[in-house]
Amino acid sequence: MADKNRKKSTSAKEDIINRVYILYAIFIIAGLAIAARLIWIQVADKNVEKHIKVMERNITNTEIDPAHRGAILTRNGEPLAMSSLRHEPIVDFASEGMLKEYKKDKKIDPDRVPRELKQLAQQMAHHFNKADAQIYGYKYRSMEEYYDFFMSKFKAKKGNRAVRIFPRPVVLDEWNMMRRDFPIINHSLGKVYKDEEVEVRMRPHEDLALQLIGECRGERSKTPSYEVTRTKDDSTYTEIIYKDTIVRRTTGLEKIYDSLLAGVNGQYIEQRIAHGFWARKEDPRNRKPEDGHDVVTTIDGNLQRMATECLRKQLEKECGSFGVAMVMEVETGNMLCMVNLSSGRQRGHNYQENINHAMRTRMTPGSTFKLASAMALLEIGGATVNTKVSVPDAEEKVGKRTIRDTHTMRDEEGTQITNPTLVEGFAHSSNIFFSRAVYERFKNDPSVYTTFLNSLMLNSHIGLEEFGAKRGLVPSPKSDTWKVNGGPEWVFPQMPYGYVVEIPPIQTLTLYNGVANGGKMMAPRFVDRIEKGGITVERMPHETLLEHMCSEQTIDGLFTCLKAAAVPDRMGRRFGNLPVNIGCKTGTAQLWGSFPTNSPLDSLNFIEGFGPDKHEYYLGSLVAIMPIEKPKYTIMVAIAKEKTDEHPTYYGGRVAGDVVCDIIEFLHTNDLTLHPRVEDSGKGYRPTTIKDGKASSVARITESLCNMNYAEGLDSEWCSAFVNESGSTTVQSLNIASGRVPNVQGMGLVDALFLLEQQGLEVTHSGVGRVTKQSIPHGSKITDKRRKIHLTLSI
């Protein structure tokens, strides 16, 4: 029995041990399986990373903290383009405050949310009205549309119910008013929105210098970033999480200096706190933004405004297609003004800066090109200012081309000039003179002439490629232009007076400015310096295109020509009344090709064709240098227009002259260096006379202004003052007796009127200055018959 019991005991023990081994094996296998699964998840499973990112994005998110974009300023610090913060609330229509109020509880008004949403819709429709929508370019919504939109978001069971409700961002004053007066926005249902600040690029002066500044339009695009699968009310749906991105479209200085203006964006980590709402959290990855730099231009804001208005007025008067006005500083190349105005859809109205004609429109310059031809004649043609050319009539044949002048040249006595000098040919703007002079000297090798023109940068870029500027086009004898138009005997005679060639207006201005600068051609300069917080970071260099355009002797000859061309008898009455002497040249060119335009009428005319029997377009221009004795500014105005019966004027002097005169007068008025200095003699000034009057006023004048001694101790409120030969002042009391006419001679009119009317007298007066005569002698008794007194004043 003992053995049998022992065997049973052993068998039970082994059974327990075997079970333990089995459990150990199961645990080991399970552990190995878990370890293998972990390794698989960490190494081989491709979905893990995706799930981790989804979870991270569902809890935290990395957002860009945009830098504040720098401003574009005038030379005096006036903003041409700047960034301003706007406010745009994101309302959560699933917020706790709104849902709680909507529960069907007897203690809570179930209609409160719909009622307040209706009030909000009413105020939104009133504030963001049709006029506001037209100004800012968004679609107008009525009160009913706003209400339906709000209720649809409030009742939605799925999707994102945190939405922007404003059609545009609002400024601070608007936002403060809305937070105070608009329901829901004023926290009537608790905190139900997030105030998002949006940076808006704005131009305080609308389209002033727009083609130089360029545009920077920030456009918010809704780009799907990732998807999240959610479960609610036993249903599964996919929610697309959108991330706001800003797309900038830039031109002009906004584009060229975009990296400096934009600054460096920061970033921050935010954590989800509610549906559609996130809050920043402390994190070492957070980085503050670095605001952009300010770009200080060379533009004079007041001059730009004045030139814009004058040019717009002239374009409306002449029904022009487009106009350009520019002012360049001679020594530096600084552009003080650049205006580009184009007609709206109805030609003659609504002129805007929407096309950069100064840089991008290449056109036939006309007679302003004669300066380059005159330079060629003087520099490489062996001519002098007194070189004569036969011009017997207003129509002559040069080569195989018939050249015409608009008038015969006559001297001051009215006698026809048949053998004009270079100066006379330039002053009278004779096409025949320049055609014949250049053709005869260079017809054997026209490339000598065209090569010289190319050396003046007329066929090259002048450093404005970043603005999209076109280079000039001066065809060479080997070019297709010469071949297509019949060869040198047909083409070459037209080039000297500005046909066949095509040049952007800014290159013509640069050429004249180089002559004004003694032959040193400066590149147009638009940016003076870069600033950060008012401190200059970088100053832009002055670029010299040509150190010597030609010899000093040639420059002197060109100055003589420019002076001769500025004769008021030929330029117009206003040029005779200018405050400074100028040198100038007009240009009138018939246009045979199209140009960029917003006018359907112009576009239709281009299709129908050009010519005397169809449509005649002209470019009238004028370039002036002031003052001609020591040039400081170069001015150019050009206007393109169609010659019509209603607007027949097209000559450069008449079309552009008034605008040039306005600019010259403005520059002279505002530039004190153009006015003669008043030298200090070093001697103090003492007045020889002082007006009688109130004693306190006389004391203040004699002691403070006149630096004289004043005798104290007067026993009267009124006194008279005398200045003797030594310069000292004697002051005597004036006794005013009641009922007697006071002595007001020597007083100013104000004091005299006070004293006389105080005595009951009726006063009339004539003249200016101080009282020198009174009709009733002082001391006379005042009676009813002697109530009227007349005062005579003189200086």
Side-chain angles (χ1 to χ4, degrees), residues 535-609:
I535 300 174
T536 300
V537 176
E538 181 183 2
R539 191 168 292 275
M540 299 296 107
H542 299 267
E543 183 181 352
T544 302
L545 297 175
L546 293 173
E547 195 67 40
H548 301 287
M549 298 168 63
C550 54
S551 65
E552 292 183 7
Q553 184 178 357
T554 298
I555 292 295
D556 292 340
L558 295 176
F559 266 75
T560 303
C561 293
L562 290 168
K563 290 178 185 178
V567 176
D569 293 341
R570 288 190 289 271
M571 296 298 299
R573 178 182 56 83
R574 285 196 64 183
F575 285 86
N577 299 324
L578 291 176
V580 293
N581 297 322
I582 67 168
C584 68
K585 184 70 190 79
T586 60
T588 307
Q590 189 168 2
L591 305 179
W592 297 96
S594 61
F595 50 80
T597 180
N598 294 314
S599 169
L601 178 60
D602 286 336
S603 300
L604 179 62
N605 291 346
F606 297 158
I607 296 173
E608 294 179 354

Side-chain angles (χ1 to χ4, degrees), residues 237-279:
Y237 65 93
T238 300
E239 180 179 353
I240 302 176
I241 305 299
Y242 291 87
K243 183 176 180 181
D244 291 347
T245 58
I246 299 297
V247 179
R248 282 200 176 96
R249 305 179 187 277
T250 58
T251 58
L253 293 177
E254 293 277 18
K255 177 182 179 181
I256 297 170
Y257 292 92
D258 182 61
S259 60
L260 288 172
L261 289 166
V264 180
N265 291 332
Q267 71 172 25
Y268 60 89
I269 308 301
E270 61 180 9
Q271 182 173 336
R272 183 185 174 115
I273 58 174
H275 184 75
F277 285 81
W278 300 74

Side-chain angles (χ1 to χ4, degrees), residues 87-101:
H87 298 268
E88 191 172 21
I90 302 176
V91 176
D92 182 10
F93 286 90
S95 66
E96 183 179 353
M98 297 187 75
L99 293 177
K100 181 180 178 181
E101 292 288 345

Side-chain angles (χ1 to χ4, degrees), residues 447-653:
S447 63
V448 175
Y449 172 71
T450 58
T451 301
F452 179 78
L453 296 180
N454 292 338
S455 71
L456 301 178
M457 308 290 291
L458 294 177
N459 205 28
S460 308
H461 286 291
I462 55 174
L464 303 175
E465 297 89 330
E466 290 181 305
F467 289 95
K470 292 184 178 180
R471 64 179 181 86
L473 178 61
V474 180
S476 66
K478 296 181 180 180
S479 66
D480 293 338
T481 302
W482 286 56
K483 297 175 183 178
V484 171
N485 290 281
E489 292 185 345
W490 288 93
V491 177
F492 192 32
Q494 288 187 296
M495 291 184 65
Y497 58 90
Y499 277 73
V500 183
V501 298
E502 294 181 354
I503 301 174
I506 197 165
Q507 283 195 273
T508 300
L509 177 72
T510 304
L511 173 69
Y512 275 76
N513 194 77
V515 172
N517 199 28
K520 185 177 182 180
M521 182 185 286
M522 304 299 297
R525 184 171 180 261
F526 291 97
V527 176
D528 182 63
R529 61 190 182 275
I530 307 297
E531 290 185 349
K532 185 71 176 288
I535 300 174
T536 300
V537 176
E538 181 183 2
R539 191 168 292 275
M540 299 296 107
H542 299 267
E543 183 181 352
T544 302
L545 297 175
L546 293 173
E547 195 67 40
H548 301 287
M549 298 168 63
C550 54
S551 65
E552 292 183 7
Q553 184 178 357
T554 298
I555 292 295
D556 292 340
L558 295 176
F559 266 75
T560 303
C561 293
L562 290 168
K563 290 178 185 178
V567 176
D569 293 341
R570 288 190 289 271
M571 296 298 299
R573 178 182 56 83
R574 285 196 64 183
F575 285 86
N577 299 324
L578 291 176
V580 293
N581 297 322
I582 67 168
C584 68
K585 184 70 190 79
T586 60
T588 307
Q590 189 168 2
L591 305 179
W592 297 96
S594 61
F595 50 80
T597 180
N598 294 314
S599 169
L601 178 60
D602 286 336
S603 300
L604 179 62
N605 291 346
F606 297 158
I607 296 173
E608 294 179 354
F610 303 90
D613 299 330
K614 294 184 179 179
H615 304 286
E616 295 183 69
Y617 279 83
Y618 291 87
L619 181 70
S621 57
L622 195 155
V623 188
I625 297 169
M626 67 165 286
I628 193 62
E629 296 82 9
K630 190 176 180 181
K632 188 169 184 180
Y633 303 108
T634 306
I635 306 156
M636 180 177 184
V637 175
I639 293 177
K641 59 165 292 186
E642 181 186 9
K643 177 188 175 184
T644 62
D645 294 337
E646 295 81 10
H647 303 91
T649 305
Y650 61 91
Y651 288 110

Side-chain angles (χ1 to χ4, degrees), residues 715-782:
D715 56 1
S716 174
E717 185 182 0
W718 301 88
C719 70
S720 60
F722 304 93
V723 181
N724 56 32
E725 295 180 356
S726 63
S728 60
T729 305
T730 302
V731 181
Q732 296 179 348
S733 298
L734 286 177
N735 295 319
I736 309 300
S738 178
R740 300 284 179 176
V741 177
N743 182 13
V744 296
Q745 295 184 51
M747 291 187 182
L749 181 60
V750 174
D751 287 339
L753 285 173
F754 178 81
L755 284 176
L756 294 173
E757 290 179 350
Q758 193 178 44
Q759 296 294 332
L761 295 170
E762 297 179 15
V763 186
T764 58
H765 62 88
S766 60
V768 294
R770 71 179 67 206
V771 179
T772 56
K773 185 179 180 182
Q774 57 187 74
S775 61
I776 303 177
H778 64 86
S780 301
K781 187 175 181 180
I782 300 173

Side-chain angles (χ1 to χ4, degrees), residues 670-688:
N670 291 274
D671 189 347
L672 298 181
T673 64
L674 299 178
H675 297 260
R677 293 186 60 185
V678 178
E679 299 294 338
D680 187 0
S681 64
K683 298 180 180 179
Y685 172 76
R686 289 178 178 269
T688 56

